[in-house]
Each structure stands twice: as C-alpha cells, then as structure tokens.
Amino acid sequence: MAGSEIPNHVVVFGRPGSGKSSLAARLGRDHGFVLIRTGELLRRAVERGDSLGRRVEECVKGGKLVPDALIAELLESTLKSPGSDRLLFDGFPRTIGQVAILESFERKLDFRIDRYLEIAISHAAAVARMSGRRVCPRCGATYHIVNSPPRTDGICDNDGSSLVQRRDDSYEVVELRQRIYDENATQMLAYYRAHAPGRFVTVNGEQPFETVYAETCRALGRWSDGEASG
Ligand code: AMP
C-alpha cells in the first residue's frame, strides 16, 4: 500500500461509549468500507428470534459478552469472500480468543487487516457519553444528543425513524460493559501492540468528533515501513 492511502481492511477498537461506531459509520460513507458490526448483527438475530438469536439473547440484553464460539458462528454466516470489498470491523474482536478467530478468517478468505485502530477514551468519559446515545431501530445508525446529533431531534437522518435508547445503555449495564471491556481489551490490545506494531494506531477519542475523524484519517493513511508482515 502506498503513502497516504486509506487502507483496505481495518479493525476499530474502543470501549463502549468511545464513539467508535459513529466513526466507523463515517469511514464507511466516506471511504466505501463495508461495516462488519457484531453488536448490530447480534441484535438483529435476537429480533428475528432465529436459532443463534435465541442463544445470544440473554448475553446481549444483559451487556455480557457472547461466547467466542457463537461469534465465530455469526461471522461464518456473514463473512463471505471480501473480493474487492473494504472491510471495517466494529466490535470484533473483543477477546483474545476472538483474535484467533479473526486470524483464521483472514487465512480462509485470503485478506489481511491493514490497520488496527484504537479510539482511546477514559472510563469516566465513556459512561458520560453513553447516557446520551440514541440509535435508529431500523437502520442501526448511532447518534449522540450532544456530540453527533441527528438533523432533527430524535429522528434518524437516514430513514426518518424515531430514535431510541438501547436497553444495554442503562447505568448498571453501562458500568458492567466498561468492566468487561477492561478485563478483555487490555490483553487483546497488548497482543496487537506486540505482534503488529506498524499496523496499530491510537487516536485520542476525547476530542470533538470532527477532530477525532480527521486524526483517524491521518492515522489510517500513515504506513509504517518498519513492519514487513506483522
Ligand atoms: P455493541 O453494539 O458492539 O456495543 O455490542 C452490543 C452487545 O453485543 C455487547 O454488549 C455484547 O453482548 C454483544 N457483542 C457484540 N460484539 C461482540 C463480540 N465481538 N463478542 C462478544 N459479544 C459481543
């Protein structure tokens, strides 16, 4: 990949409330990424009430992590050969076990993650933000009443649906999700920093959205010559 191009395949990490999903959506729109959002896929499976949905419902509604084997099953039915698609993973991998699942999909479908992007934000800032989050129940678009509001209060820009607060954005569940993130992400991020240092970038997420977005585009465009294959 040359100089300042946006890479093809990206993983975005960030604690719940870091703003990573709004960022992923904007990257998708501006740079043509296909978003792979495990949280969204799981919620849809729960709404459909299909076999996977019934098995993951309790975890998703309670804010706990779905077991790795079920995440592998979900991706198996979602991820086809990327072909010319640029993939952006939002919310996966989330555990060290899922790192191995992603690597097995890279081998099987013959693609390579070019960038691991961490949106860094403190626990306290994340909790404050999550209380303002609203989502579109139809298309999954994510807004924030202060940081990333829709054009019309409470209405989705894409399809005019009334926005809702997710059940797992309640205070107790928010705190639980932060703890779960801390328990799992520390080890996983350490793994990527050690194994793919030239592809791992961190952006300060505690800034206005447009600043985070601009820094993200710059960070994604930087290519380290120091790492041959990660
Ligand atoms: P999200 O929309 O990414 O915040 O995810 C919502 C919920 O879906 C999480 O609280 C988990 O219950 C579940 N979930 C999403 N992605 C994963 C994953 N990669 N591994 C395990 N559970 C997940």
Side-chain angles (χ1 to χ4, degrees), residues 117-140:
L117 168 71
E118 180 197 14
I119 305 301
I121 172 173
S122 71
H123 178 133
V127 171
R129 279 187 180 182
M130 284 174 84
S131 58
R133 187 151 72 178
R134 300 292 180 272
V135 295
C136 173
R138 195 183 302 169
C139 74

Side-chain angles (χ1 to χ4, degrees), residues 16 20-21 38-40 42-43 59-61 63-68 71 90-95 98 133 166 168 177:
K20 72 177 168 50
S21 292
T38 44
E40 196 51 44
L42 290 166
R43 279 189 291 278
C59 287
V60 173
K61 292 199 168 149
K64 298 202 184 96
L65 289 187
V66 168
D68 289 349
I71 295 294
D90 168 10
F92 168 84
R94 254 183 163 92
T95 65
Q98 292 178 18
R133 187 151 72 178
R166 273 165 37 184
D168 56 358
R177 293 174 72 205

Side-chain angles (χ1 to χ4, degrees), residues 12 17-31 35 37 88 90 117 119 121 129 133 141-150 157 203-218:
V12 57
S18 63
K20 72 177 168 50
S21 292
S22 305
L23 197 78
R26 176 76 176 274
L27 284 168
R29 276 202 304 279
D30 290 359
H31 297 288
L35 302 190
R37 304 184 128 154
L88 200 169
D90 168 10
L117 168 71
I119 305 301
I121 172 173
R129 279 187 180 182
R133 187 151 72 178
T142 305
Y143 301 87
H144 190 279
I145 52 177
V146 179
N147 303 326
S148 176
D157 290 347
V203 168
N204 173 7
E206 291 191 31
Q207 309 180 84
F209 181 80
E210 290 302 327
T211 311
V212 176
Y213 184 66
E215 285 193 10
T216 294
C217 290
R218 274 200 298 279

Side-chain angles (χ1 to χ4, degrees), residues 92-167:
F92 168 84
R94 254 183 163 92
T95 65
I96 198 76
Q98 292 178 18
V99 168
I101 293 172
L102 176 57
E103 286 173 356
S104 79
F105 277 109
E106 285 182 87
R107 281 193 298 276
K108 199 162 77 181
L109 301 179
D110 195 25
F111 70 98
R112 179 180 188 259
I113 300 296
D114 305 300
R115 279 289 186 284
Y116 300 96
L117 168 71
E118 180 197 14
I119 305 301
I121 172 173
S122 71
H123 178 133
V127 171
R129 279 187 180 182
M130 284 174 84
S131 58
R133 187 151 72 178
R134 300 292 180 272
V135 295
C136 173
R138 195 183 302 169
C139 74
T142 305
Y143 301 87
H144 190 279
I145 52 177
V146 179
N147 303 326
S148 176
R151 285 193 291 273
T152 308
D153 252 13
I155 301 294
C156 179
D157 290 347
N158 299 333
D159 56 28
S161 302
S162 293
L163 302 177
V164 297
Q165 186 166 35
R166 273 165 37 184
R167 269 169 65 172

Side-chain angles (χ1 to χ4, degrees), residues 13 65 68 92-104 180-181 183-195:
F13 302 108
L65 289 187
D68 289 349
F92 168 84
R94 254 183 163 92
T95 65
I96 198 76
Q98 292 178 18
V99 168
I101 293 172
L102 176 57
E103 286 173 356
S104 79
I180 291 172
Y181 180 84
E183 281 164 13
N184 290 284
T186 309
Q187 189 189 10
M188 182 181 68
L189 296 179
Y191 172 88
Y192 283 123
R193 281 197 195 91
H195 287 83

